[in-house]
C-alpha cells in the first residue's frame, strides 16, 4: 500500500504547531482507516532554524509518536529549501510526498483528493486555491500581479498554486537533479514534465502566529522567481538601450544642423534631460546585469542549499547533545 510522507516546513511556529501536529495525526489515522495509505506513513516536520520552541515541540512529538519525524536545519535556509530538505530526506521511505504549510491555512483534508489522483496515475498533484478573500488586499494584489507577470513573460506557473502539492517518489528524484541554488519550486516542478493535475480547495486564515512572509520578503521572492526563470528583463533593457541610442543619433543630427545654420544656443534643459535620461538607463541596465551576474556567482559557488543539524527520520533517534539538553529540562 502507498506510503505517504507529509512534509511540513516550520519557522517560528510554536503557537500553531501543537494544533498542527494533532490535526495531521488525525488526518493520517483517517487515511489509514480508509485504506488510502499504509500505516508506515510519516509526518515530517522540518525546523528551518527557528528561534522559538518549535524544535523542542517537534522533538517531543517525535518521542511520543512513532509516526512523527523531525529534521532540524542548522540555520534559516528559507521556505523553499526547508521543503527540499524534507522531501529529499523522505524520498527513500515514501512512495509519495505531500508538502504543506505549518499554519493550517490550506485545507489538509484535500490530501485525500491528492491521493486519489496519485492512484489514478498522476505523479504531481497541485493544490490550487479557489479564492483568496481571507488574505489582505495587499497580499492578494501582489500575488495576483506576480502570477500575471510571470505568465506574460513565459514562465509556466500554476495560477494560485502555492507549495501545497503531492509529488511521487520519481518526481522528487527528478527534482533532486536540479542543482540550482536559487530553487523556485513553483517554476521548476512544472518543468519536470510528469503527468500532473490540479485539485481545488478553499484557503483559510492563518490559525495562529504571524506570516513569515512580510512585504519585503515577498517582493524578494517574486523577483528571485522572475530572474531565475527568464531573460526577458535583461532583453527588455537591451531593446531600451538600442532605442535610446537611435534617438540620441537623431538628436545629435538635429544639434549639428542647428550649429551649422548658426543657431548655436542649444538648450540647456534638453542637454540636462538627456544626460539624466541616459544616466538613468545605464543605471537600470547595470543593475539588471548585476542581478544576473549575482545569480551566476551564486550558482558557481555550488554551496549546499541547506545544512541538516539533526535528522530523526533517517538518523539515530537521540543525539547525545540533544539528550543532555532535554534531560536538563526534566524530560528523558
Ligand atoms: N517558513 C519556513 N522558513 C522561512 C519562512 C517560512 O520554513 O524562512 C514556513 C512557515 O513556517 C510556514 C510556511 O513556510 O509553514 C509558509 O509561511 P507563511 O505561512 O508565513 O507564509 P504565507 O502563507 O503568509 O505566504
Ligand atoms: Mg501561511
Amino acid at each position: 500500500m502507498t506510503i505517504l510522507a507529509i512534509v511540513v516546513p516550520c519557522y517560528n511556529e510554536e503557537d500553531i504547531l501543537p494544533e498542527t501536529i494533532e490535526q495531521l495525526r488525525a488526518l493520517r489515522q483517517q487515511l489509514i482507516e480508509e485504506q488510502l495509505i499504509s500505516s508506515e506513513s510519516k509526518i515530517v516536520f522540518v525546523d528551518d532554524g527557528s528561534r522559538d520552541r518549535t524544535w523542542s515541540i517537534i522533538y517531543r512529538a517525535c518521542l511520543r509518536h512513532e509516526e512523527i519525524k523531525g529534521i532540524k536545519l542548522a540555520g534559516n535556509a528559507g521556505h523553499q529549501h526547508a521543503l527540499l530538505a524534507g522531501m529529499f530526506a523522505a524520498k527513500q521511505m515514501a512512495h509519495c510526498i505531500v508538502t504543506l504549510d505549518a499554519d493550517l491555512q490550506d485545507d489538509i483534508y484535500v490530501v485525500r483528493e491528492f491521493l486519489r489522483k496519485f492512484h489514478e496515475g498522476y505523479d504531481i498533484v497541485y493544490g490550487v486555491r479557489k479564492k483568496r478573500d481571507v488574505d489582505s488586499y495587499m497580499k492578494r494584489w501582489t500575488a495576483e500581479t506576480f502570477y500575471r507577470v510571470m505568465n506574460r513573460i513565459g514562465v509556466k506557473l500554476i495560477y494560485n498554486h502555492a507549495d501545497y502539492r503531492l509529488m511521487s517518489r520519481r518526481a522528487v528524484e527528478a527534482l533532486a537533479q536540479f542543482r540550482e541554488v536559487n530553487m523556485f519550486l513553483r517554476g521548476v516542478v512544472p518543468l519536470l514534465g510528469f503527468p500532473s493535475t490540479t485539485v481545488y480547495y478553499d484557503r483559510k486564515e492563518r490559525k495562529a502566529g504571524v506570516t513569515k512572509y512580510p512585504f519585503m520578503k515577498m517582493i524578494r521572492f517574486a523577483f528571485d522567481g522572475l530572474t531565475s526563470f527568464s531573460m526577458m528583463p535583461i532583453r527588455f533593457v537591451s531593446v531600451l538601450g538600442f532605442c535610446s541610442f537611435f534617438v540620441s543619433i537623431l538628436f545629435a543630427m538635429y544639434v549639428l544642423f542647428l550649429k551649422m545654420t548658426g543657431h548655436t544656443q542649444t538648450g540647456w534643459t534638453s542637454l540636462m534631460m538627456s544626460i539624466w535620461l541616459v544616466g538613468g538607463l545605464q543605471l537600470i541596465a547595470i543593475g539588471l546585469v548585476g542581478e544576473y551576474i549575482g545569480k551566476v556567482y551564486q550558482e558557481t559557488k555550488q554551496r549546499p542549499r541547506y545544512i541538516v543539524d539533526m535528522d530523526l527520520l533517517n538518523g539515530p533517534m537521540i543525539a547525545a547533545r540533544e539528550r543532555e539538553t532535554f534531560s536538563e529540562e526534566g524530560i528523558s
Side-chain angles (χ1 to χ4, degrees):
M1 206 183 305
T2 309
I3 301 176
L4 168 74
I6 300 178
V7 170
V8 189
C10 310
Y11 179 55
N12 296 340
E13 298 286 8
E14 61 178 6
D15 294 332
I16 184 80
L17 210 49
E19 166 90 9
T20 309
I21 290 171
E22 280 325 302
Q23 292 219 14
L24 287 179
R25 286 186 61 226
L27 169 73
R28 175 183 166 277
Q29 200 51 45
Q30 207 167 317
L31 294 175
I32 291 172
E33 277 159 24
E34 289 169 22
Q35 302 207 319
L36 280 166
I37 58 171
S38 123
S39 56
E40 284 165 64
S41 300
K42 301 272 188 277
I43 307 164
V44 183
F45 290 93
V46 183
D47 174 25
D48 186 16
S50 302
R51 282 183 296 266
D52 62 359
R53 289 170 40 250
T54 299
W55 177 245
S56 88
I57 295 170
I58 296 172
Y59 194 87
R60 272 169 231 202
C62 287
L63 294 178
R64 212 166 294 145
H65 309 290
E66 178 62 24
E67 68 273 23
I68 306 267
K69 297 290 168 193
I71 294 168
K72 183 183 192 316
L73 300 188
N76 181 231
H79 181 205
Q80 303 286 297
H81 293 159
L83 285 171
L84 287 182
M87 288 195 285
F88 293 161
K91 74 178 179 348
Q92 308 299 338
M93 49 81 45
H95 296 129
C96 61
I97 296 177
V98 168
T99 50
L100 183 68
D101 286 353
D103 55 11
L104 299 177
Q105 269 187 300
D106 305 310
D107 183 0
I108 58 171
Y109 284 88
V110 176
V111 171
R112 189 184 287 124
E113 293 304 311
F114 284 9
L115 285 163
R116 293 226 175 87
K117 296 286 181 193
F118 175 68
H119 290 141
E120 281 171 27
Y122 291 103
D123 281 276
I124 301 166
V125 187
Y126 301 102
V128 174
R129 298 162 186 168
K130 261 188 247 165
K131 49 187 190 299
R132 326 181 45 126
D133 43 6
V134 293
D135 285 338
S136 72
Y137 179 75
M138 197 62 200
K139 180 135 199 159
R140 221 158 62 207
W141 185 82
T142 45
E144 264 154 29
T145 311
F146 174 63
Y147 285 109
R148 218 169 296 137
V149 170
M150 290 296 272
N151 272 314
R152 182 65 67 80
I153 64 171
V155 186
K156 284 193 200 66
L157 287 188
I158 311 288
Y159 188 69
N160 264 347
H161 158 69
D163 289 298
Y164 186 22
R165 72 174 86 78
L166 176 144
M167 288 175 80
S168 66
R169 181 193 283 168
R170 68 170 186 158
V172 177
E173 299 274 7
L175 185 67
Q177 290 173 28
F178 283 70
R179 299 302 315 161
E180 63 220 74
V181 177
N182 284 292
M183 180 69 98
F184 182 64
L185 281 168
R186 286 170 220 186
V188 170
V189 174
L191 288 182
L192 297 177
F194 286 123
S196 63
T197 184
T198 50
V199 167
Y200 292 88
Y201 68 93
D202 286 321
R203 182 164 160 96
K204 287 176 275 188
E205 261 170 77
R206 201 177 224 285
K207 284 233 172 116
V210 291
T211 174
K212 307 301 180 299
Y213 270 107
F215 187 66
M216 279 320 286
K217 213 165 156 184
M218 231 158 62
I219 297 288
R220 187 67 240 166
F221 182 64
F223 204 64
D224 258 352
L226 198 97
T227 49
S228 7
F229 272 87
S230 167
M231 295 301 284
M232 197 80 147
I234 205 162
R235 288 206 190 115
F236 176 69
V237 169
S238 313
V239 170
L240 215 67
F242 280 118
C243 289
S244 77
F245 180 66
F246 184 68
V247 170
S248 59
I249 287 177
L250 291 182
F251 194 68
M253 273 156 46
Y254 172 66
V255 172
L256 272 177
F257 171 76
L258 284 184
K259 195 180 168 68
M260 281 189 286
T261 52
H263 301 83
T264 35
Q265 276 156 310
T266 41
W268 182 81
T269 325
S270 61
L271 188 68
M272 286 312 277
M273 268 173 65
S274 58
I275 287 173
W276 281 90
L277 185 77
V278 172
L281 282 176
Q282 280 174 336
L283 279 182
I284 297 172
I286 290 169
L288 264 159
V289 170
E291 185 70 25
Y292 284 97
I293 291 179
K295 284 247 147 61
V296 173
Y297 172 63
Q298 280 174 346
E299 299 300 341
T300 50
K301 274 192 293 194
Q302 297 272 321
R303 283 197 185 158
R305 289 179 281 210
Y306 54 84
I307 310 254
V308 175
D309 184 356
M310 225 170 292
D311 183 346
L312 303 184
L313 181 62
N314 302 306
M317 180 59 206
I318 298 178
R321 183 161 63 84
E322 196 68 1
R323 199 185 294 128
E324 265 166 40
T325 44
F326 272 84
S327 57
E328 271 166 28
E329 288 174 33
I331 299 150
S332 57

